[in-house]
Amino acid sequence: MSNPQHLAETDATELKEIRAACPHLDATARHVRDFAGMMRDLRGEELPAWMDRVMANDLPAMHSLVNGMKRDMDAVTAALSTSWSSGQVEGQVTRVKLLKRMGYGRANLDLLRRRVLSSP
């Protein structure tokens, strides 16, 4: 998962050997790194070419990912092209839900224990 440039020399050598032993794993790793670069550098315009490269390989799981992306190509391209993120909003929603559960006494396992132990 790490950038190969940041790996220790022994880890980089081991990774190189593993990828050389399995062409499918090597192709998958290459496609995933290319996609990560698109996300990091906001290069959404490269998505169609990346999808074509993935579909040219015999990687059924990656084909499934590409087919899913094709269903909403505009949204995926926009997500890879803009710096906007909903991460902060999602974090606040999670915090509000936790506070709500705590307020109603459902944040711990006591209620669950009572329901499970009292069931017939």
Side-chain angles (χ1 to χ4, degrees):
M1 294 302 294
S2 298
N3 185 333
Q5 298 171 354
H6 299 135
L7 291 175
E9 188 174 330
T10 56
D11 292 338
T13 303
E14 186 177 353
L15 178 61
K16 188 175 182 179
E17 291 171 0
I18 291 169
R19 288 179 67 173
C22 181
H24 286 93
L25 180 61
D26 184 52
T28 301
R30 191 173 55 253
H31 292 311
V32 168
R33 290 197 193 288
D34 290 347
F35 189 80
M38 280 191 294
M39 284 188 349
R40 183 185 56 246
D41 301 332
L42 301 176
R43 298 185 322 246
E45 71 278 357
E46 297 176 9
L47 184 63
W50 177 84
M51 293 170 122
D52 291 340
R53 288 192 309 271
V54 169
M55 295 305 278
N57 290 118
D58 181 30
L59 303 168
M62 294 293 289
H63 292 181
S64 176
L65 173 68
V66 167
N67 290 332
M69 289 179 175
K70 284 181 180 178
R71 283 189 225 125
D72 202 356
M73 188 71 165
D74 291 337
V76 176
T77 303
L80 293 173
S81 302
T82 63
S83 61
W84 294 97
S85 169
S86 64
Q88 181 70 354
V89 172
E90 294 299 328
Q92 293 297 333
V93 168
T94 300
R95 185 181 68 82
V96 168
K97 286 181 178 181
L98 175 63
L99 292 172
K100 184 177 175 183
R101 286 186 194 110
M102 288 170 53
Y104 287 104
R106 293 186 302 199
N108 57 26
L109 297 176
D110 292 342
L111 181 61
L112 179 61
R113 281 189 195 108
R114 277 187 270 153
R115 285 185 181 172
V116 172
L117 294 177
S118 66
S119 60

